[in-house]
Amino acid sequence: VIRHSSNACKKYPQSKEAKKFHDSLKDLYNRSNRAKKCKRNRTFFENTLKRLLSKRFHNPELVKIKKFLTKHFDEIFVFVEKNIDGTNNAAERAIRNDVIIRKISGGNRSPNGRRDYEVISSIMQTCQLRNEDFSETVMDELKSTAYG
């Protein structure tokens, strides 16, 4: 969302409304991200966001962002109380290699090939996160499937 508000500032560089909205949103995220370290309740941040969204925006990009934030309002500050990352950076990094491979190779030739690649890639990443050997995991699964 912050990236979208930053893009609105770039698209409309003369818009004080876009700049102010972006700065307010960025500040709110930074404060909420720091607050999760001290187990602060998310209500304060939700109320601050409500005040920000209560304004009427003229910039079409901000109207879209407001609509998105309003739709997903209950999900936005969950990270404050759950002590999880407030971004999707880890997920983006996790799929980065797969995206690069897909772009270099031109993708898969069939839906089945795509699905097979997704499953194998997912198993490989899970093994890596668990510090397990991929070959052993696959062999164990094949043996248990074959011998019941």
Side-chain angles (χ1 to χ4, degrees):
V1 174
I2 293 173
R3 186 181 325 130
H4 291 295
S5 68
S6 175
N7 290 340
C9 290
K10 290 174 187 170
K11 190 172 182 178
Y12 300 96
Q14 301 302 319
S15 173
K16 292 178 183 175
E17 177 185 51
K19 174 82 171 114
K20 186 175 179 181
F21 180 81
H22 172 68
D23 290 345
S24 297
L25 203 56
K26 192 173 175 181
D27 179 61
L28 180 60
Y29 170 73
N30 288 333
R31 288 186 347 211
S32 62
N33 203 35
R34 285 191 304 269
K36 75 179 185 181
K37 293 177 179 120
C38 61
K39 308 281 188 212
R40 190 165 182 185
N41 189 299
R42 72 187 204 194
T43 307
F44 169 80
F45 303 107
E46 289 175 337
N47 290 337
T48 305
L49 183 60
K50 276 181 192 173
R51 282 193 300 279
L52 182 61
L53 296 177
S54 69
K55 297 174 182 161
R56 186 163 186 251
F57 297 108
H58 302 287
N59 184 307
E61 298 297 315
L62 300 186
V63 172
K64 288 180 199 174
I65 295 168
K66 178 181 176 177
K67 185 177 179 181
F68 176 85
L69 289 170
T70 302
K71 181 178 180 181
H72 298 282
F73 187 83
D74 293 336
E75 305 157 12
I76 294 171
F77 292 107
V78 170
F79 73 94
V80 174
E81 292 180 333
K82 301 281 184 181
N83 197 24
I84 55 176
D85 190 11
T87 68
N88 67 343
N89 291 344
E92 295 277 349
R93 283 191 299 273
I95 65 168
R96 188 175 182 344
N97 288 335
D98 292 334
V99 170
I100 291 170
I101 290 168
R102 186 189 75 230
K103 289 190 180 260
I104 290 172
S105 70
N108 293 294
R109 303 280 185 238
S110 71
N112 287 343
R114 184 190 78 235
R115 178 72 184 135
D116 291 347
Y117 180 81
E118 289 171 355
V119 169
I120 291 169
S121 176
S122 176
I123 294 169
M124 287 177 70
Q125 289 177 11
T126 300
C127 288
Q128 189 175 21
L129 288 171
R130 294 178 177 173
N131 291 321
E132 295 176 0
D133 183 73
F134 172 73
S135 301
E136 284 182 31
T137 302
V138 171
M139 290 302 291
D140 290 345
E141 187 60 32
L142 289 172
K143 288 176 187 174
S144 70
T145 303
Y147 301 117

